[in-house]
Every structure is written in structure tokens, then in C-alpha cells.
Amino acid sequence: MHHGTSSGGTPDGARRSLRSTLLSWPVIRQYTQGDPLGRGAAAVSAHTKACTARTTTADRVVQSVCPYCAVGCGQRVFVKDEKVIQIEGDPDSPVSRGRLCPKGSASEQLVNSPGRQTAMLYRRPYGTEWESLDLETATDMLVEKILDTRERTWQEHDDQGNRVRRTLGIAGLGGATLDNEENYLIKKLFTAMGAIQIENQARI
Amino acid sequence: MQDLQNSDCIVIQGSNMAECHPVGFQWVMQAKARGATIIHVDPRFTRTTAVADMHVPLRAGSDIAFLGGIVNYILSNEKYFRDYVLAYTNAATMLREDFRDVDEVDGVFSGYDPETGTYDTSTWNYQGMPAQESAASGEESRSERAAGHEMGGHGASLEHGRVRRDETLTDPRCVFQVLKRHYARYTPEMVQEACGVPPEQFLKVCEAVTANSGRDRTTAWVYSVGWTHHSVGVQYIRGAAIIQLLLGNIGRPGGGIMALRGHASIQGSTDIPTLFNLLPGYLPMPKVGEHGDLRHYLATISSPDQKGFWTEADSYTVSLLKSFWGDAATADNDYCFDYLPRLTGDHGTYQTVMDMLEDTVEGYFLLGQNPAVGSAHGKMQRLAMAHLKWLVIKDLNMIESASFWKDSPEIDTGELVTKDIGTEVFFFPAASHVEKDGTFTQTQRMLQWHHKAVEPPGDCRSDLHFFFQLGRKLRERLARSTLDRDRPLLDLTWDYPVDDKGEPSADAILREINGFHLSGEKAGQPMSSFTEMKADGSTSGGCWIYTGVYADGVNQSARRKPGREQSWVAPEWGWAWPANRRTLYNRASADPDGKPWSERKAYVWWDEPAGRWTGHDVPDFPVDTAPSYRPPQGTGGPKGLAGDDPFIMQGDGKGWLYAPTGLLDGPLPAHYEPHESPVDNPFYRQQANPTRQVFRRKDNLSNPSAPEAHWEVFPFVFTTYRLTEHHTAGGMSRWLPYLSELQPEFFCEVSPELAAERGLQHGGWATVVTARTAIEARVLVTDRMVPLRVGGKTVHQIGLPYHWGVGGNALVTGDSANDLFGVTLDPNVHIQESKVASCDIRSGRRPTGPALLEYVKDYHRRAGITIYTGNDQRTPMPGVRLTRPEQDGAEGETGPRQGDPS
Ligand code: SF4
């Protein structure tokens, strides 16, 4: 180490500090620290040095999977104070080896973006605006809608007298972005209700 | 996915893998670094092309001709892998005398009925299969067993595996000779004629794939929705299957046909299907008339005399019924088979949307899907939703499908008026992937558990929570019902453990899917393999192909042994169905004697001293069936598989070069033009797929297609695609600041030649028009797009990314490319043709308000469009005028099917 930058007991503090400022100029450090093009250590500012990665302060790291395409890249979800603070690629994954594409890398915003809809909303027939509605009430209202439609559109037999035991009044679309367990419950409940028109992106 | 690194040549066709599956693409780059040749066959020069060794621009919609040309090259130059073809495919199998190919019947196969636009497929079968029974007999018939979507995913069944073979491959009725004749016309010159690919370039591809296939080398084919979104989509994939079987590239490392799927668990939602025609594990939904009771149902899935694992369908079905209805399902009541609702035809999403327009559908659930932007014919989607009584949206963001009633394009044109729309809309905010436990199944059938990291905010709930609570409340409301129709709901097993917030345990549901023993000494224990399933009600399992995900009572999908601590196969990361096999049909990686075809391509082989199959992967074969094993005459099921029958889910144990049953539009791929095309079919008088599903409705008009009059009003071809920075209809990307900033605006890609022809300015606006609507986009003039010479014409192609939509509160909005398409479907799978259609393009912005409707109507007038335009399934003879009911231009009503033109 250059003796002038040492923190040894030189009496003249001002001179010492001037000297260390001069010597810590990036252009000097480029030459003194073996980084002649100024693309490595010489470019690091004191501010940068003082920064720590969000990931190092996380309370915990949870293993997950990217929710976009079907490559299925491994994700590490960093959580602090019960909030997701960062999502990164999981280097352990033999499929993705730590990489994420722009979508996977942006998925922290999928969770935390201010534009995300987090409140239940309701639009009444012929209404012109959304209204707020309590989740429990909404579910109860929906139960009545389903039972009403199902009753009104129930087909016990087709026009040839074959038993069909179904309703064509209720349909669904979606599932490709959901979990297997969710798809299972959807298929199970729709089938038991007699609703057959359930479809997802795989048809599209 | 990682297996691509073992390829010696990779053909990417119908996919822009670098753009749409970027992280998976690292394995293509790894192969390239190891010396593999990368070929990109695509209308556009893309990010994939930029790093490929070869770009072959071809006309969108001409892939069957291109693939057919390769088959012809392989056959006429004797480049096929003879040992593989002879032992493992149906090349030697004899076909019926009365089968007629397309060249013999004027562009259609034998059995075509022009009245219905469908085939009687019986003449396509193998010799020696029992004669056709009529559907009216009430007994299960072969044709029904074979019928398209009704087949579910269980593959076409055969009556038995005893086929007649000609091992010399010389009999004119054997598959190999039929194949040779069928493809004789697919010469390099015809490839040029159809695809616009010069012979020198085409032959380079042929040479690369054949030089990189055989004992020592393997070639992989990679496709995506660039192949499925066609009215002949299934036949595209069949085309690749034929090549890969002829070259011996199936079931081997670095080989195969890789389907790149576009959603995190779209594979899972096919396996555990939120699809109308399937039950979990590719069992069909029962159909009225055919599947009266369980016995009849099972008889249509497989015959006890055929080979392979589908003969065990009774165990899979009974276990499924037990997992749905538990103790209520008994042998005496057919395990509640009667509780399953019955199908009567196509209940696919497009049919359902048309039913909404007829007001027969009252309620609709949209679960993480945005059809107003993502489905073909956006206008039809939005108008249909305005007919609903109630609509449920479960999503992360306020997508266009949720707010259509206040800000859809039809509000602007005046076709919809908010105050007149009676639809009641419920927006339930959804939990994101980090706010719930569960599994996704990625594109290679691998289940990966994702752990919940945080609680969902506000009113956001998982779909698991939503549907569990909905089911709970429905059952409570009906608890005292004595109605027979409510029994299936009341008898349903629906008692999952919940946490303090009412969230059911995903783990418990995965256990139910895996299945367990119900009686005996193992009662209550999870099964480790579907081979433990029984048809006597002693086992329960929600999806037989997923049995094993809880093998040994452990959630195998949550395994995360780092890749670097394992072989490249990485069998201890997640779990792949079936039985954790990573490459299907891998018995074919060994020769008929069970030895690897070569040291370099060793994968699974027969260990003679141990008397079992072994290798780098879980063998996809009965583990102790020796290569020399020959089943006694008449043995069906798994024991009916000979030691050299690697295709264990096929009724004859062989890979099908020719599909004797199962397809509705032909046993072999034949090139048909897209539903809308400016080009005459160079191969046959029949222009487009004669069995494509057309909908003659005034709200679903088609452009005239050559050789029909006025095709030149829509002289250009367009195709749609995805960008890295967005995700399909944008519901998970256009609300994110980073991604929206990276790709803010809808654009169209055009060649400098087309720009000059139409006066399009780079960075300016263009209007793209079809019979459905007109949309506007920013112009990107680029020599990545090249005009092609096809059929004596110059064909210009236009590229349109389809992520944007109008309305909603997304950060970035724009016209939707899918609004340009009408609804025309592949007959086998009911998937829409949305990767190719014809259009016009003009400089400048489109009209707004009602003027937009007038603008499009003017095109209708100029092109003489009626509901019949482009919609004749069988191409009329030249000069023949078909008799139509009263024609009233575009205002005509839905018409009957066409008469026989001849
Ligand atoms: S990070 Fe990109 S490539 Fe990987 S799964 Fe997500 S969307 Fe697909």
C-alpha cells in the first residue's frame, strides 16, 4: 500500500486528507490499481461502496418458479418485513441455471406494482362505474347467481331423451397461469355442478 | 429442455425461441457451442435467426409443403434410419386395399363427405382390423373411438396389436410405399412454388438434418404456436413426427420434437384439464349416446387386445371417480360414472362464445385470461360478453375483458352502449405466484412446487381459496336439497384442511391428485406409481399420470437438488410425469437388442446380467421386459408389448408414420392453403383443409381466398407473434413499469419493398384491414421482412405482435392484432387459425367512431363478401356456381352447409 494513504499517525490531518482525495481520484486509481481502462475497481465510487444489495438484508429467501412462460425458470424470492423485496434467478435450477429473462426479472413488479388491483370490485347491471363490495358478500351473491342460472338452464336429457345431466348456462376460460391444484379444484367443481364449458389457453 | 444441448442439429420452425423462451434458448446456444448446426425456418428474421447458422424465410402457412419436401428427400435419397424405421415404426404395416390418397381423389382422402365436410375414416385403417360397426348399433364403434377431440389424449385405439407387416417394405399397400407415393410430388421445385424457398437453400436444410441423424447423431425439431395456430395445425406436427421417425430421432438424447408452451402451467392445465373434452390424465369426457355407462365408456378408450398401458384405463377412471366422489362411488353405482355431465359435440371456447351471442350462456368465469385481447376475433369476444347475465373476473390487473362494458373499442364505434349492457361484473383480485403454494407443470412435463413467500394483499385470494370457498358455500346452500341433480355436488369430496385464513392446503390437494390406497394394509398411504391403481374401488387418484409425484409420501415436485450436483438429466429436480421420466419413449434410444445405438448417444439400455432396463433416465418401458421378449399371440396390455415395441402408448407399440385412426383430416399431412390466402394451392385443386371448422355468420366474415374472385382486395399475408418483454394478452406485463417501458407501443413490421409499394413511413402509422375490422400500428420498415416469390406472384408478409389492447387501465395500450382474425378452426382440436391470414395495409391512421364500421363495410362491398365467402370447405370446381339461399351481401344470415359442387 502507498504509505500516503495509510491511516498511520501523521500529525497533519488536512494534508493527509487532501492527499488521499487526490489519490482516490478515479483517473489516478485507474493507473495505481491495475485498471487502466477504468472499467473495474477504479470506477467504484464511495457511494457504491457503501451500498449493500437488498438481497443481503432479506429476512428469508423462498424458492419459487417464474409465473410467465413454460420454461419454468427457478426463482428466489427475497422477503423482508413480510414484503417481497426482490426476485432473482435460482442458480440451482438445472433448467435455468440462475437466469431470468426480462419478464421473470420484472416479476417483483407483478407482486408490488401500484397498478395491481387488490380490492374487490362490482359493476351492477347497466351501471356506469365500478363499485366496491365486500368479498364475503360478493361470494354469496355469486353463489345465488350460479344456482339461479343452473336451475334455469338445467338439462336433464337431450332432445333424443339421452341423459346429459348438465347446464350450458355456465362457462369458464382460464387455467394455464394457475397451479395444478387450482385447475383440479376448478375441474372437479365445474364437473359436479354439471358445467362442461370450461376451457383455457391450451385451446388457443 | 437441457437435452437440446445434446443435439447435433436443431431446426426451430414455428417458434421464435430466443425471443419467447429466452432462458430455455441457452441450451440451443450450448449445442451450438458444441458444434451443432442451428436452422431457423420462419417468415421473419428474428432474435432466434440472428444467432442461427441458417435462416430459411418461408411463406406463413406453407410448412406442410416444406416438411413434406424433407420427407421426400429422405425417402428418395435413402437417407432414413432403416434399422430404426423397420423395428420401431409402422412402416411395414399393411393398409386396406380401399384406402385412396389425395392424388387419387382430387385433393381429398377416401371417405370424404362434401355434405358434412367430414371424413368417414374407416378406409384409412390397417388391414385386418375388424370392419366398421355403425354408430346406431349402440355398441362402441371404432370410428367413434377414433374421433378427434373425443379421443381425449389417449391416442387412437386399435382393436388389437396383430397387424400384417411386410418386412421388405416393398408391398405397394405397406405404409412405407404409401408414404413414398404420397410425398413423391413434394419436390424441391414444388417446395419453392409453395413456400418461396429456393431449391439450393432447401437442399441445405435437407443435407444438414440427414447428415446429423443416425446411430451417432441426432437432430431436434422445436416448434411453438407458430405451428398450432392453423386450420391444419395438427398436420404440421404430424409432418415433423414423420421426419423424426424416419430419421430415428424420437426417444433419443438430442432428438425429439420439442413443443415450447407459453404459459407457466399450460401443460398442467392440459394434464389436469380445464378443457371441455377431457378428464384428468387425458381420459375423455363422456359423450352422449356413446358413453352410456362405465363399461361402454371404457370400451371406447381402449380394446383389451391392444398393446400398451391404455388397456388399464379402467383403473385410472375408477380411481378418478373415487377421488371425486369418495365413499359415494361404489361398484354398485358404477362408481358414480353417471354423475359426469355429458357432451354433445364441440363445447370449445369459440363455440361457447357464439352460444353467448345466442344468449344460452348466462355466466362466465375468466381466470387469469383476457380473451378480449388474447383470443381470435376480439370483437366477437367483447360483443358476446355483453350478452352475459354475469361475469366473474379473477385477475391481478384490471384487464380489458373486465372493463369492456365501459371502454372497449365497440363503445367507441357505438356498437355497445354502457347503459344498455346488463352484465353484472364481479372482479375478484387474485393472489400472485409468490402468495400461494402449488405446482406448475412446465413445458417438459416437469412439476415444480413453488412455496408461498408472503400473504396476498387486500382482497387478493388464490384460485384455490376462491373455488374451495365457492364450493363450500354452494354445498351449504344445497345441503337440504333432495334433487337428483344436486347429488354430484353434495357427494363430492370437498373437505380439505384450511389455514386460519381459510386457504385450503395445496399439499393435501396434490396428495389427492397423486392418489392413495383406500383399503388393505396400505390403506391411507400414497401410491408411488400408477401401476398400483386398481379398478375395484380400492384406490383413489385424481390424475393417474401424476401418480408418483407423492411417491414414498414425499412431495417429489418440491425436490431441489442443485443441477450442478446431478447429471444433466437432473432427475432429482422437481418431478416429471409419468414416473419421473424425462424423455418419453426412451426405449428407442437402444437398438432392438437393447444396446445403445452408439456410445455417443447412449441413454437407456438393457442390462442383461441384471435382467432389467437401466440408464441415465427412468426407462419408459416395462422395466423387466427383455428385448427378445415376444408376447404370446393375443396378449393385450403392457404384457402385449414385445421387447422391441418402444411406443408403449400406441395400440401396436410402434411409432406412427401413418396414422390409421385418431385424426379427422387425413392419415398423412397434405399441404392445404390457409383459410385466407392470396395463393392457389400448388399441390391440389382442393384449396384449404376440406374439414376445417367454418362458421358462416355475418359477424364472422372471411376475406376471399384465391382462386375466389376479389382475393386481390386483401393481397398481403400477415402473421402474429410475441415479444420477450410482454406476455400474451398483456395481463401480466402491460401493468408492469419495466416491461411497458421496454415495449411501449404496438407496431407492424414491413419490408422496404412493401413500404415503397404502399407509401408506408418508418415510425409513421399504418392501418391493417381484414373483413373483421381495421387496426392501426406504428410502422417498422425493416429488411428483416423479405418479399417471397410464390406461385408466380410476389407475396409480402406483415408481422404483428399481439400484446396490446384498447381499454382497461394498463400502462400501455394499443389496437389488438387478434381483432383482425375471424374464427376458423382445426377440426381435430378446435384451435383457431391465428398465425396466418390475408389483409390489406394502408398508410395513415384508421377512422374512429362509427366511421370505422363504414370503412370496413366498404371493403366488404369491394370484395363482394357474404357469409359464404371463403367458407366452402370443398373447393368448388372451376366455373361451377353453387346454389345458395338468398344472398344479401354481408347481411346474409347463417347459411346451411354447402351442397356437393360436382
Ligand atoms: S424467466 Fe423468462 S424464460 Fe424463464 S420462465 Fe420466466 S418468462 Fe420464461
Side-chain angles (χ1 to χ4, degrees):
Chain A
M1 186 181 284
H2 190 284
H3 80 272
T5 60
S6 81
S7 52
T10 26
D12 191 342
R15 236 183 85 221
R16 185 188 59 202
S17 112
L18 173 67
R19 200 159 182 199
S20 85
T21 307
L22 278 174
L23 286 170
S24 63
W25 278 7
V27 68
I28 308 264
R29 285 194 284 132
Q30 265 173 248
Y31 292 100
T32 56
Q33 296 179 350
D35 181 18
L37 296 175
R39 288 174 172 179
V44 176
S45 72
H47 176 75
T48 303
K49 259 191 192 151
C51 292
T52 48
R54 273 200 294 290
T55 51
T56 60
T57 60
D59 298 331
R60 61 177 184 275
V61 185
V62 180
Q63 283 183 300
S64 192
V65 181
C66 177
Y68 289 96
C69 90
V71 173
C73 295
Q75 293 192 329
R76 287 189 178 180
V77 181
F78 295 82
V79 180
K80 187 176 168 65
D81 300 331
E82 298 310 313
K83 285 256 168 248
V84 172
I85 54 165
Q86 175 74 338
I87 296 181
E88 296 197 342
D90 186 348
D92 289 349
S93 164
V95 177
S96 59
R97 298 190 294 189
R99 290 124 166 117
L100 292 176
C101 80
K103 286 190 290 292
S105 308
S107 57
E108 178 270 329
Q109 291 189 334
L110 187 67
V111 183
N112 293 328
S113 139
R116 179 174 170 190
Q117 194 62 47
T118 59
M120 171 76 213
L121 289 177
Y122 172 70
R123 185 254 177 181
R124 66 181 65 238
Y126 312 105
T128 53
E129 289 305 327
W130 288 110
E131 301 171 35
S132 54
L133 188 63
D134 166 69
L135 203 52
E136 196 71 16
T137 312
T139 315
D140 290 339
M141 284 167 72
L142 180 58
V143 165
E144 297 309 317
K145 302 270 151 220
I146 292 171
L147 291 176
D148 178 50
T149 291
R150 184 166 169 268
E151 172 148 6
R152 203 138 22 80
T153 58
W154 188 259
Q155 299 179 337
E156 191 64 31
H157 296 98
D158 69 2
D159 41 17
Q160 266 102 57
N162 297 302
R163 193 160 191 217
V164 290
R165 200 172 197 156
R166 70 184 186 190
T167 167
L168 294 178
I170 303 173
L173 183 67
T177 57
L178 308 182
D179 295 341
N180 291 315
E181 296 75 15
E182 296 177 320
N183 277 284
Y184 181 74
L185 284 200
I186 297 167
K187 184 71 176 186
K188 189 172 172 178
L189 187 63
F190 262 71
T191 304
M193 288 197 300
I196 55 176
Q197 295 141 297
I198 175 75
E199 289 271 276
N200 76 56
Q201 184 72 30
R203 182 80 60 207
I204 292 165
Chain B
M1 191 69 73
Q2 308 93 285
D3 181 38
L4 284 172
Q5 70 186 301
N6 300 313
S7 301
D8 300 294
C9 176
I10 301 175
V11 183
I12 302 170
Q13 187 174 356
S15 161
N16 178 6
M17 188 180 181
E19 179 96 32
C20 303
H21 299 86
V23 178
F25 194 69
Q26 67 179 297
W27 300 107
V28 176
M29 290 291 87
Q30 185 100 353
K32 191 182 181 197
R34 289 174 167 197
T37 304
I38 314 299
I39 300 170
H40 191 214
V41 184
D42 199 281
R44 300 183 304 128
F45 183 103
T46 66
R47 282 171 167 164
T48 302
T49 324
V51 287
D53 295 293
M54 211 189 292
H55 178 216
V56 184
L58 90 172
R59 178 170 63 99
S62 68
D63 299 53
I64 290 176
F66 189 84
L67 297 169
I70 298 175
V71 174
N72 178 313
Y73 175 89
I74 293 167
L75 293 174
S76 39
N77 294 288
E78 308 266 320
K79 297 280 190 186
Y80 50 92
F81 189 169
R82 192 175 172 95
D83 293 346
Y84 184 105
V85 167
L86 204 56
Y88 296 161
T89 76
N90 65 358
T93 307
M94 299 289 289
L95 300 179
R96 284 167 54 139
E97 296 290 341
D98 51 0
F99 167 65
R100 294 287 173 274
D101 203 343
V102 272
D103 292 311
E104 302 166 83
V105 208
D106 198 20
V108 295
F109 294 94
S110 48
Y112 184 71
D113 176 2
E115 283 294 324
T116 58
T118 59
Y119 282 107
D120 169 352
T121 63
S122 51
T123 58
W124 306 350
N125 215 325
Y126 292 158
Q127 271 186 31
M129 292 297 146
Q132 192 80 28
E133 288 171 36
S134 96
S137 74
E139 279 300 306
E140 63 282 3
S141 82
R142 279 91 209 153
S143 71
E144 286 157 12
R145 191 178 291 161
H149 66 251
E150 251 316 283
M151 198 173 54
H154 59 73
S157 79
L158 289 175
E159 278 312 297
H160 54 72
R162 301 182 302 278
V163 298
R164 284 194 52 208
R165 287 170 62 89
D166 167 34
E167 303 295 335
T168 67
L169 303 183
T170 54
D171 190 294
R173 299 312 300 174
C174 79
V175 164
F176 188 78
Q177 292 299 329
V178 169
L179 204 64
K180 264 192 150 169
R181 289 196 299 276
H182 177 80
Y183 281 109
R185 292 182 55 210
Y186 288 71
T187 59
E189 294 68 35
M190 285 299 281
V191 169
Q192 176 166 34
E193 196 62 16
C195 313
V197 177
E200 319 77 64
Q201 197 178 24
F202 169 70
L203 288 169
K204 269 196 195 148
V205 177
C206 295
E207 282 156 16
V209 299
T210 51
N212 286 299
S213 300
R215 281 179 183 272
D216 221 29
R217 305 183 79 76
T218 49
T219 289
W221 233 274
V222 175
Y223 78 90
S224 197
V225 294
W227 269 10
T228 59
H229 287 173
H230 291 278
S231 55
V232 277
V234 171
Q235 298 288 0
Y236 274 43
I237 296 147
R238 283 284 305 140
I242 293 167
I243 294 175
Q244 290 296 65
L245 284 169
L246 285 173
L247 295 177
N249 284 325
I250 301 284
R252 301 181 61 206
I257 300 171
M258 175 97 207
L260 293 171
R261 308 200 66 180
H263 289 66
S265 200
I266 194 165
Q267 183 62 49
S269 64
T270 316
D271 304 332
I272 297 180
T274 36
L275 294 169
F276 84 88
N277 57 321
L278 295 175
L279 286 167
Y282 299 95
L283 294 164
M285 275 290 283
K287 190 175 179 188
V288 88
E290 289 168 34
H291 299 140
D293 59 18
L294 184 58
R295 190 177 64 87
H296 281 93
Y297 171 81
L298 292 171
T300 61
I301 298 177
S302 61
S303 140
D305 295 338
Q306 75 178 46
K307 299 182 178 193
F309 284 88
W310 276 114
T311 57
E312 311 304 301
D314 52 352
S315 302
Y316 316 148
T317 307
V318 172
S319 296
L320 169 66
L321 294 170
K322 288 297 286 181
S323 74
F324 275 19
W325 287 294
D327 293 340
T330 64
D332 293 338
N333 65 11
D334 242 3
Y335 300 101
C336 294
F337 179 73
D338 204 30
Y339 280 8
L340 295 169
R342 299 300 199 264
L343 310 182
T344 41
D346 172 11
H347 305 283
T349 182
Y350 290 102
Q351 187 61 57
T352 297
V353 167
M354 292 181 209
D355 292 344
M356 286 177 199
L357 290 164
E358 310 302 321
D359 294 317
T360 58
V361 181
E362 297 189 355
Y364 196 25
F365 290 83
L366 289 180
L367 311 167
Q369 196 148 347
N370 188 11
V373 178
S375 290
H377 206 337
K379 176 179 292 197
M380 184 186 272
Q381 302 286 333
R382 296 182 294 261
L383 292 178
M385 285 194 285
H387 280 252
L388 293 166
K389 279 196 167 41
W390 50 272
L391 170 65
V392 176
I393 311 284
K394 191 93 175 40
D395 216 293
L396 298 161
N397 296 306
M398 182 53 71
I399 52 172
E400 288 79 2
S401 302
S403 62
F404 77 92
W405 48 273
K406 63 191 295 199
D407 50 21
S408 73
E410 289 69 33
I411 301 281
D412 180 49
T413 56
E415 292 161 280
L416 288 177
V417 176
T418 301
K419 288 205 299 273
D420 298 341
I421 299 171
T423 312
E424 200 167 347
V425 188
F426 297 85
F427 186 101
F428 287 90
S432 76
H433 71 300
V434 297
E435 293 153 358
K436 58 190 182 186
D437 288 325
T439 51
F440 288 145
T441 304
Q442 55 83 274
T443 200
Q444 270 207 300
R445 312 178 320 282
M446 179 170 66
L447 284 78
Q448 300 185 97
W449 184 266
H450 57 84
H451 298 269
K452 177 173 176 172
V454 292
E455 289 295 333
D459 292 337
C460 299
R461 298 289 181 274
S462 69
D463 290 58
L464 211 60
H465 182 112
F466 177 75
F467 278 98
F468 174 66
Q469 297 298 349
L470 193 64
R472 200 179 55 75
K473 284 176 186 255
L474 281 167
R475 284 154 50 89
E476 266 171 30
R477 266 286 272 109
L478 296 173
R480 277 195 293 277
S481 166
T482 51
L483 290 175
D484 189 48
R485 69 160 184 252
D486 295 329
R487 285 321 315 162
L489 268 173
L490 294 171
D491 289 341
L492 203 62
T493 58
W494 204 258
D495 44 4
Y496 304 105
V498 292
D499 70 10
D500 53 355
K501 304 210 167 46
E503 176 83 16
S505 158
D507 186 78
I509 295 164
L510 186 61
R511 281 171 186 264
E512 176 175 319
I513 293 169
N514 177 87
F516 45 88
H517 295 273
L518 291 168
S519 54
E521 57 188 41
K522 289 190 180 168
Q525 286 179 28
M527 288 180 284
S528 290
S529 161
F530 61 79
T531 54
E532 293 173 44
M533 281 185 163
K534 295 280 184 312
D536 60 3
S538 66
T539 59
S540 163
C543 180
W544 69 277
I545 55 177
Y546 280 21
T547 304
V549 68
Y550 241 101
D552 309 319
V554 175
N555 181 350
Q556 306 284 342
S557 74
R559 291 180 305 168
R560 281 194 166 82
K561 184 171 178 177
R564 58 191 169 276
E565 294 170 21
Q566 307 189 52
S567 76
W568 65 266
V569 179
E572 292 174 74
W573 180 276
W575 183 87
W577 71 263
N580 203 28
R581 287 165 188 146
R582 305 290 165 138
T583 295
L584 289 181
Y585 299 130
N586 59 33
R587 155 70 184 92
S589 69
D591 69 13
D593 296 333
K595 296 190 193 63
W597 287 107
S598 68
E599 201 53 41
R600 191 163 174 261
K601 295 287 169 180
Y603 193 62
V604 161
W605 55 88
W606 175 251
D607 181 347
E608 184 64 49
R612 50 197 298 123
W613 291 92
T614 185
H616 302 303
D617 195 356
V618 178
D620 193 9
F621 203 65
V623 73
D624 50 3
T625 295
S628 57
Y629 171 76
R630 293 295 174 270
Q633 181 80 9
T635 317
K639 275 280 147 214
L641 292 165
D644 62 352
D645 281 338
F647 292 89
I648 61 171
M649 301 311 281
Q650 301 293 92
D652 55 356
K654 302 300 181 197
W656 285 4
L657 292 166
Y658 170 101
T661 68
L663 294 175
L664 298 180
D665 55 352
L668 290 169
H671 169 76
Y672 293 119
E673 285 294 320
H675 177 67
E676 290 178 354
S677 169
V679 175
D680 295 10
N681 188 344
F683 286 89
Y684 316 108
R685 182 181 72 76
Q686 176 63 32
Q687 173 74 0
N689 183 349
T691 59
R692 70 195 186 281
Q693 270 181 286
V694 297
F695 299 89
R696 299 183 186 94
R697 305 167 54 104
K698 60 183 177 180
D699 56 4
N700 188 46
L701 300 174
S702 296
N703 301 345
S705 188
E708 216 170 338
H710 310 305
W711 65 266
E712 69 286 345
V713 175
F714 302 96
F716 309 119
V717 173
F718 75 99
T719 187
T720 61
Y721 56 88
R722 273 161 75 156
L723 302 165
T724 301
E725 296 80 6
H726 282 298
H727 190 239
T728 53
M732 291 165 71
S733 62
R734 279 186 290 111
W735 278 259
L736 275 55
Y738 291 159
L739 297 175
S740 299
E741 191 175 342
L742 286 166
Q743 289 289 2
E745 202 167 12
F746 179 40
F747 59 88
C748 60
E749 279 185 75
V750 296
S751 67
E753 294 84 350
L754 177 57
E757 196 175 315
R758 286 291 198 216
L760 306 171
Q761 297 295 322
H762 183 73
W765 289 95
T767 296
V768 187
V769 197
T770 66
R772 275 70 60 187
T773 193
I775 61 169
E776 63 185 17
R778 291 283 184 180
V779 176
L780 176 65
V781 180
T782 170
D783 51 19
R784 300 194 303 237
M785 302 299 290
V786 287
L788 299 172
R789 284 297 290 176
V790 175
K793 298 173 186 166
T794 297
V795 175
H796 291 289
Q797 309 197 82
I798 298 164
L800 300 170
Y802 70 90
H803 303 293
W804 289 269
V806 170
N809 66 356
L811 293 173
V812 289
T813 58
D815 280 356
S816 169
N818 282 324
D819 282 10
L820 291 176
F821 292 106
V823 177
T824 302
L825 312 177
D826 177 294
N828 298 290
V829 290
H830 314 300
I831 289 179
Q832 78 289 335
E833 183 150 84
S834 59
K835 277 295 159 283
V836 61
S838 65
C839 68
D840 189 19
I841 189 166
R842 299 279 165 175
S843 181
R845 305 191 70 161
R846 62 167 168 81
T848 55
L852 175 63
L853 303 178
E854 271 314 306
Y855 183 79
V856 176
K857 270 202 182 131
D858 188 49
Y859 272 86
H860 294 167
R861 278 189 286 270
R862 280 167 50 209
I865 293 174
T866 72
I867 56 167
Y868 301 102
T869 303
N871 278 332
D872 290 318
Q873 287 166 300
R874 182 71 163 132
T875 307
M877 286 295 224
V880 171
R881 240 190 100 75
L882 300 178
T883 44
R884 309 282 200 199
E886 193 89 344
Q887 285 196 23
D888 186 16
E891 305 306 316
E893 290 300 327
T894 306
R897 288 182 179 276
Q898 63 179 111
D900 184 355
S902 50

